[in-house]
Amino acid sequence: EMLDDVLTLSRIDAGRVKLELASLDLARFIPGVIDEVRLGDRDNHRYEFKIEGTGTVFPSDSHLLHHIVSNLLSNGARYSPAGTLITTTLQCTAETARITVVDEGIGIPTEDQVRLFAPFERGSNVGNIKGTGLGLSIVKRKTELLGGTVSLESSVNRGSRFTVEFPRSPITPA
């Protein structure tokens, strides 16, 4: 898994990831990703999906977007106690699509947040929870390939909120 992640970062850095844009109905796409993560999680957590706004058909690359959303959801499950809620919200406007994943987990110390999107970086409070420290770096780079941004809000022992936002205007593949 770590080798695959390192190779993915290398391909992105070398400009060898080609965008395959298509119109996606995010209101259908995201619940499918949530269901996949829920199955892998063996229903150890509760999952909720909310939609705000209209116009959920959006230009994107389904493979990149799938990885982004599944990583954020998987992290939410990995770093949250069993039985807690992981909420995904899709907000669509005329200009953007915003996907927010909120968990009720261990949170991320403030001093760790500035470096969390760098390769091999993890929160100092993860203890024995497994991880490579590559997932969020890949999320950031794939989000940027789609012309978007990723942000984080977190408090220790209160959970984390990751938000990815993408422009509605078509992305011009490199």
Side-chain angles (χ1 to χ4, degrees), residues 11 14 43 55 62 87 94 117 152 154:
R11 282 192 296 275
D43 286 322
S62 63
T87 303
F117 291 100
L152 158 69
S154 188

Side-chain angles (χ1 to χ4, degrees), residues 27-149:
R28 291 181 183 212
F29 180 82
I30 293 171
V33 179
I34 293 169
D35 286 343
E36 287 177 26
V37 173
R38 181 193 336 258
L39 284 172
D41 185 38
R42 297 187 176 132
D43 286 322
N44 282 323
H45 297 85
R46 296 175 293 125
Y47 293 84
E48 185 176 89
F49 179 60
K50 300 176 185 178
I51 300 174
E52 299 173 3
T54 59
T56 62
V57 175
F58 208 81
S60 193
D61 181 307
S62 63
H63 297 293
L64 295 180
L65 190 59
H66 183 279
H67 182 271
I68 291 164
V69 175
S70 67
N71 182 277
L72 295 176
L73 288 165
S74 297
N75 280 353
R78 179 180 297 137
Y79 297 105
S80 297
T84 58
L85 179 65
I86 299 168
T87 303
T88 305
T89 304
L90 170 64
Q91 297 170 298
C92 292
T93 69
E95 293 83 29
T96 63
R98 179 181 299 140
I99 303 165
T100 305
V101 176
V102 179
D103 66 53
E104 299 175 342
I106 63 172
I108 302 158
T110 303
E111 61 273 11
D112 295 345
Q113 292 178 26
V114 295
R115 60 180 176 74
L116 203 62
F117 291 100
F120 301 107
E121 293 291 344
R122 300 181 74 208
S124 59
N125 61 333
V126 298
N128 293 329
I129 301 170
K130 293 182 180 180
T132 63
L134 292 171
L136 289 176
S137 179
I138 294 171
V139 163
K140 182 177 193 304
R141 299 221 185 128
K142 286 186 175 186
T143 299
E144 290 169 346
L145 281 173
L146 292 171
T149 59

